[in-house]
Structure formats: structure tokens, C-alpha cells
Amino acid sequence: MPGRSSESDVALFLSELEARCEEPWTLESMAEGANLKRSRFGTLCRKLTGESPAVYLNRLRIRKSRKLLGNTDLSVTDIAFECGFSSSQYFAKTFRRFQGHEPTHYRRLAQEMTLSRGAQYLEGEAERNAAYAAATIGTGDFKV
């Protein structure tokens, strides 16, 4: 389409990626989806999101997994595969990097919030003892 920039192509692709984040994406397939070469796609993705394409994709997958952990009884393994992770171990490692705790810990927090018990303290390691409120649970804002 005349007049469209590469940056707008990447922005459009990234906005559509969330709905398809569980697919087996590679850097090549994401770049192809935006009609660009790998290096150009990577550069523009970093410019628009502040993250590499792989980190951005994992952030989308973790966001989807938080919804499933909080709203379903699916096993952590089933959620890992549903969100596009190749193994439950890789999912758990990635979840810890983004969220700062285990998927099962997040599920307990989400369940407690659903039960309307307000901010809660969960027993555990000192660095994991924290008060959570509905507005902050699972924001996934840790730097990776």
C-alpha cells in the first residue's frame, strides 16, 4: 500500500500478534508477517516496544497465561502449551522472569483476589512476601 511505512507495518503486525501469540513464531516468520527482513523487523520492534521480538512475544504469551491461570482450572502444563511454550519447564522459567514468582503462586494469588479477600500476604521466602491488590496482581512489569 503506497504511503505506508515499515514502522506502521511492524506496529500493525505487533497489534495482531497478541491474538496469535500461541503460534510457533520465529524471528523469520514474524519479520515475514510484517513484510520485512529479520534485522529491520528486529530494529523496528525494539524501537516500538523497547524489547526484542522474542522478549515481546514471550510477554504476550505470559499475559495470556495469566488470564488462563486466573480464570481456568487448566494444568500449568496445559496452559504452557496453550500459550505457545515448547515445554512447561521453559514456561515456568519465563513466567518467573516476567512475574517474579511461579505460575502456581500466581494462581493462588489470583484465587485469593477472586474470593474478595483483599490484599493478602502469602507465606514463603522473604522476597516473595508481598501485598497484592487487584490493580497490581500480575502486571508483569519486571525487566527481563
Side-chain angles (χ1 to χ4, degrees), residues 60-120:
L60 294 177
R61 288 175 171 173
I62 293 301
R63 184 180 302 154
K64 180 176 180 173
S65 74
R66 288 192 326 248
K67 292 175 187 173
L68 293 173
L69 286 164
N71 300 319
T72 72
D73 291 327
L74 291 172
S75 71
V76 171
T77 299
D78 288 343
I79 290 172
F81 292 125
E82 180 79 20
C83 294
F85 289 95
S86 57
S87 73
S88 59
Q89 293 83 5
Y90 180 62
F91 166 62
K93 178 181 176 181
T94 305
F95 196 94
R96 276 192 308 272
R97 288 178 64 208
F98 279 90
Q99 295 300 132
H101 50 258
E102 307 290 328
T104 52
H105 183 82
Y106 177 87
R107 178 171 266 166
R108 284 194 315 269
L109 291 170
Q111 287 169 345
E112 288 199 10
M113 295 308 294
T114 300
L115 294 173
S116 299
R117 291 168 44 182
Q120 296 292 313

